[in-house]
């Protein structure tokens, strides 16, 4: 059977798991292996997502599982993104997670954010949780690479208040090196912006996606959607397969910020 959740369309035999490590063919149906399985759980400042223009100063319960449908050699959370479940620390049903989030409201919590690994590969769990979260009056956030079939993204939009979407470069050549699809991410940014608050993050990796002309194109394209979309230009530090790579130059990040500010009203530097 083929999984149609993302553009990879993994063709899975009985018992086989997809490229994302989190979806499998079980008894002739594609199911989520990581449904409700939690690797990370923390009450974070909303700015850490990063969301600077969505209830600033508040906190949000941040939840991670395992798996990812891209293959980034610079992954900042590779211990869980490229894991098959060994990092799971516990399991929570949607009802249990929402109940826990509600208890944290007194500590400044405004809702639930799925983050850390790629959340959208657990589409069913997210939808079930977000529906109950909205009933409880909680805010809902997705921090995602945006690489999901658009019909599934659209199905979540009525239950999602805010997104931070990783835009990992502005050419398909860059996305080819990540097993990704730039046009799909761009389409999903447009769709998400129609119904939710959207902020964009671009992690700048030296020699990989650090061309100034690409930042010009990216910022111009975002501005054509809405020049109030916040852009986070983030500094890379050595991780995963790029341990020998130098951190991103702060002067380069400032050059990119200056370029982006010609098109966008809100451009922030991260990890500096």
């Amino acid at each position: 059977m083929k999984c149609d959740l993302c553009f990879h369309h993994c063709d899975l035999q009985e018992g086989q798991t997809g490229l994302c490590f989190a979806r499998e063919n079980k008894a002739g149906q594609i199911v989520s292996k990581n449904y409700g399985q939690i690797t990370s759980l923390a009450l974070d400042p909303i700015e850490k997502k990063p969301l600077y223009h969505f209830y600033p100063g508040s906190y949000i319960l941040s939840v991670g599982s395992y798996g990812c449908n891209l293959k980034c050699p610079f992954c900042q959370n590779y211990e869980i993104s490229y894991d098959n479940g060994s990092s799971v620390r516990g399991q929570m049903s949607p009802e249990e997670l929402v109940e826990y989030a509600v208890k944290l409201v007194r500590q400044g919590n405004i809702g639930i954010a799925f983050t850390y690994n790629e959340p959208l590969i657990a589409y069913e769990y997210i939808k079930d949780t977000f529906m109950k979260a909205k009933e409880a009056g909680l805010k809902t956030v997705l921090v995602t690479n945006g690489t999901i079939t658009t019909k599934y993204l659209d199905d979540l939009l009525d239950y999602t208040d805010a997104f931070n979407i990783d835009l990992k470069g502005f050419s398909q050549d860059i996305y080819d090196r990540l097993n990704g699809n730039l046009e799909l991410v761009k389409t999903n940014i447009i769709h998400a912006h129609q119904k939710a608050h959207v902020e964009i993050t671009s992690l700048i990796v030296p020699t990989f996606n650090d061309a100034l002309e690409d930042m010009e194109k990216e910022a111009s394209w975002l501005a054509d959607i809405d020049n109030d979309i916040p852009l986070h230009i983030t500094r890379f530090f050595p991780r995963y397969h790029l341990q020998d790579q130098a951190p991103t130059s702060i002067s380069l990040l400032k050059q990119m910020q200056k370029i982006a500010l010609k098109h966008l009203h809100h451009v922030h530097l991260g990890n500096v």
Side-chain angles (χ1 to χ4, degrees):
M1 292 192 65
K2 284 193 176 183
C3 176
D4 68 343
L5 187 68
C6 81
F7 81 102
H8 290 296
H9 297 300
C10 293
D11 196 356
L12 306 177
Q13 302 299 313
E14 173 68 28
Q16 190 175 11
T17 301
L19 175 144
C20 66
F21 301 106
R23 303 187 71 77
E24 70 172 336
N25 182 341
K26 187 174 183 180
Q29 292 189 347
I30 303 298
V31 299
S32 170
K33 285 182 65 179
N34 66 349
Y35 188 100
Q37 297 192 18
I38 309 299
T39 62
S40 310
L41 194 65
L43 185 62
D44 284 336
I46 194 74
E47 289 83 3
K48 191 177 176 182
K49 297 309 93 193
L51 290 171
Y52 284 12
H53 300 266
F54 183 78
Y55 294 89
S58 64
Y59 289 81
I60 193 157
L61 179 61
S62 300
V63 187
S65 187
Y66 68 87
C68 185
N69 58 349
L70 296 184
K71 299 299 177 187
C72 302
F74 45 80
C75 182
Q76 306 294 289
N77 291 314
Y78 66 91
E79 298 93 341
I80 58 175
S81 292
Y82 304 129
D83 177 57
N84 61 5
S86 62
S87 57
V88 171
R89 296 167 54 193
Q91 184 145 350
M92 299 180 81
S93 69
E95 294 84 359
E96 290 170 330
L97 185 56
V98 169
E99 182 180 351
Y100 183 56
V102 169
K103 289 179 180 178
L104 293 174
V105 168
R106 66 176 68 99
Q107 298 181 39
N109 180 43
I110 62 169
I112 296 173
F114 284 104
T115 179
Y116 302 132
N117 73 310
E118 173 47 48
L120 289 175
I121 57 176
Y123 157 81
E124 297 89 347
Y125 183 61
I126 289 172
K127 184 175 180 180
D128 291 347
T129 301
F130 277 7
M131 290 176 70
K132 295 185 180 302
K134 299 313 295 177
E135 291 173 1
L138 297 172
K139 301 300 179 185
T140 54
V141 170
L142 287 170
V143 181
T144 173
N145 62 32
T147 307
I148 185 176
T149 305
T150 303
K151 70 176 183 179
Y152 290 106
L153 179 88
D154 288 346
D155 194 40
L156 293 173
L157 288 181
D158 286 339
Y159 314 106
T160 308
D161 293 304
F163 289 80
N164 186 290
I165 300 176
D166 287 331
L167 189 50
K168 296 177 182 292
F170 212 68
S171 75
Q172 183 55 43
D173 287 345
I174 291 170
Y175 270 85
D176 284 342
R177 297 165 68 183
L178 311 177
N179 286 344
N181 185 314
L182 173 60
E183 290 304 316
L184 178 58
V185 177
K186 289 166 65 178
T187 296
N188 286 338
I189 289 171
I190 293 169
H191 279 236
H193 177 263
Q194 291 170 352
K195 288 193 173 183
H197 176 83
V198 172
E199 301 191 25
I200 303 297
T201 294
S202 289
L203 177 70
I204 304 303
V205 181
T207 74
F208 185 84
N209 63 348
D210 58 353
L212 295 177
E213 56 266 31
D214 281 353
M215 179 51 67
E216 182 92 53
K217 293 175 184 176
E218 176 179 326
S220 175
W221 179 80
L222 288 170
D224 284 343
I225 302 171
D226 184 347
N227 56 15
D228 278 327
I229 292 177
L231 172 62
H232 301 264
I233 302 175
T234 306
R235 192 182 191 197
F236 160 86
F237 287 96
R239 290 287 283 168
Y240 197 33
H241 292 315
L242 297 185
Q243 297 285 350
D244 297 328
Q245 179 67 274
T248 319
S249 160
I250 293 178
S251 63
L252 173 64
L253 295 181
K254 289 181 177 178
Q255 282 182 277
M256 289 189 161
Q257 183 183 38
K258 185 176 180 180
I259 289 169
L261 281 169
K262 293 190 297 182
H263 305 279
L264 299 167
H265 294 152
H266 311 289
V267 182
H268 308 283
L269 298 186
N271 292 345
V272 296

